[in-house]
Structure formats: C-alpha cells, structure tokens
Amino acid sequence: MSDAILSARELHKSYDLGRRKVEVLHGVSLEIASGDFLSLQGASGAGKSTLVRSILGLVRLASGQARVFGNDPYRTPRRVRQIVGVVPEDECTIPGLSGVEMVRYAARLSGLPSTEALRRSHEVLDWCDAGQERYRPVETLSVGTRQKVSFAAAIVHDPDMIILDEPTNGLDPIERQAMLGRLTTLAKDHGKTIFVSTHVLPDVEAICDRVIVLAGGRVRLTG
C-alpha cells in the first residue's frame, strides 16, 4: 500500500538453542498504513513478540528489511523511538522510581525538556487514571497500575504510532475495558496508528479494524 508507514519484507529470525536452531520468523512480510488500528494475532510462540522486537531493531535479523516511517530501525534506532511509543509484554518499569518519575524519565529519553517532561507526565497519568498511586515506587504498585505507568511512558512524547505487546495481560475486567477504551480514543479521536500484538480474541473484536494472523512464524491471514 502506498501510504504504508511501517513495512516488513521477508523477515527471518532464528535462535540457537543448544545443538539446534529454531527459526521463529519465516519470511514475514506486512504493511501498516497511517491511521490503521491493527491487531497482530497468534497463539503463544507464534512469533509475535519477536516480530515486534525485529520491527523496533531490538533483535538482529538473519535476513529481511524493516522500515518505520521510512527509517531503518537498525541504523537510526533513536529516530524510530522518537516517533513510536511501545508497551512491551515484559516488565519495563525501573525499581526505585515512582510512577511519575518513571514516566518523566521516558519523556526525557524522548527529548522533552525537563519541565515539559514533568508536565506531560502528570497529564498522561491523569488521563490514565493513575491517581495518587503515581507517587509510589513502581515495584510496590499493582499489575494494573504498573500497566498504566508503562502505557503513560509509551505515549508521553505524543508518538504517531503506538505498538503494544499483550497490553491487557494481568488486568482485571474493569482495567481491561479502560485500556481498550484509551486505545480507541487515541485511534479514533487523535488519529494515532495502533498496532496491538495479542492472542486475546475479544480484545481484537472490540477495538481493531484489521487483523494479521501469525502462526508458526508465518503470516497466515490478513484482512
């Protein structure tokens, strides 16, 4: 598609596990257009997280090419991370920092000046309904509140595209609906491109416009 802002071409990635090599991505190709609200779906072990990390330049590919807003994530990783917000599947908070300090740190890493970083941190934490919990050390927070902090850290620099890897993992039903509602608002009201990697079918049905199904490291279905 001509307006693709993210493209992947024939991505191959293998991991050496002792005496054997396991190929996780088998020539994966995909495109995402500006304004897409897209789900990457597949069972655990399908290669979803590896694909996301490959797109962000966090793992070295055996072969293939990825472009994010025209940028090569391996050659210009800082530029990619300035225009993309990421909520990874794994815990990404820093023990010893409060919630607001964590979000402010992410804002500073994205290039925001100190005062603006703090202002934006409180603004997005208010929007995420973090309340007074934002002042507690992140390691003492509940799973749901840590997820709010991680989400706030991903959007504090107002990125054009947001990538979320299993964003509702560990959330109770109320927090899960709130997270899906925030994503919908960002997509529909603010024109953000949203790329959600998940294996949770109800989440996909609730919010996404398009789906790519990954199985065994290959794209099996898109539409």
Side-chain angles (χ1 to χ4, degrees), residues 113-180:
S114 181
T115 301
E116 177 65 5
L118 183 60
R119 185 194 71 79
R120 284 280 300 167
S121 297
H122 282 291
E123 184 176 78
V124 294
L125 285 167
D126 285 341
W127 188 62
C128 292
D129 195 27
Q132 295 301 303
E133 296 292 288
R134 74 187 69 185
Y135 299 111
R136 288 176 48 192
V138 290
E139 65 269 25
T140 70
L141 299 175
S142 66
V143 172
T145 304
R146 285 202 304 274
Q147 191 75 329
K148 290 178 183 178
V149 169
S150 296
F151 183 58
I155 65 173
V156 67
H157 60 302
D158 195 26
D160 295 317
M161 179 178 183
I162 305 160
I163 299 176
L164 305 101
D165 195 352
E166 302 293 357
T168 59
N169 265 4
L171 300 185
D172 65 35
I174 294 175
E175 291 292 350
R176 176 174 161 271
Q177 289 302 317
M179 173 64 78
L180 298 180

Side-chain angles (χ1 to χ4, degrees), residues 35-157:
D36 261 357
F37 201 156
L38 173 71
S39 168
L40 175 66
Q41 194 174 355
S44 296
K48 301 189 305 299
S49 295
T50 299
L51 176 57
V52 169
R53 292 170 185 147
S54 299
I55 289 169
L56 295 170
L58 299 177
V59 297
R60 182 63 58 186
L61 292 168
S63 63
Q65 183 183 80
R67 291 291 183 269
V68 182
F69 291 89
N71 298 279
D72 184 332
Y74 297 97
R75 294 175 181 265
T76 56
R78 179 173 294 183
R79 176 58 183 153
V80 169
R81 291 164 203 173
Q82 285 176 334
I83 54 181
V84 177
V86 182
V87 180
E89 180 181 14
D90 300 325
E91 178 66 51
C92 64
T93 52
I94 301 175
L97 296 183
S98 68
V100 68
E101 287 171 340
M102 177 69 209
V103 179
R104 180 176 178 271
Y105 180 60
R108 293 288 285 139
L109 288 176
S110 299
L112 292 179
S114 181
T115 301
E116 177 65 5
L118 183 60
R119 185 194 71 79
R120 284 280 300 167
S121 297
H122 282 291
E123 184 176 78
V124 294
L125 285 167
D126 285 341
W127 188 62
C128 292
D129 195 27
Q132 295 301 303
E133 296 292 288
R134 74 187 69 185
Y135 299 111
R136 288 176 48 192
V138 290
E139 65 269 25
T140 70
L141 299 175
S142 66
V143 172
T145 304
R146 285 202 304 274
Q147 191 75 329
K148 290 178 183 178
V149 169
S150 296
F151 183 58
I155 65 173
V156 67
H157 60 302

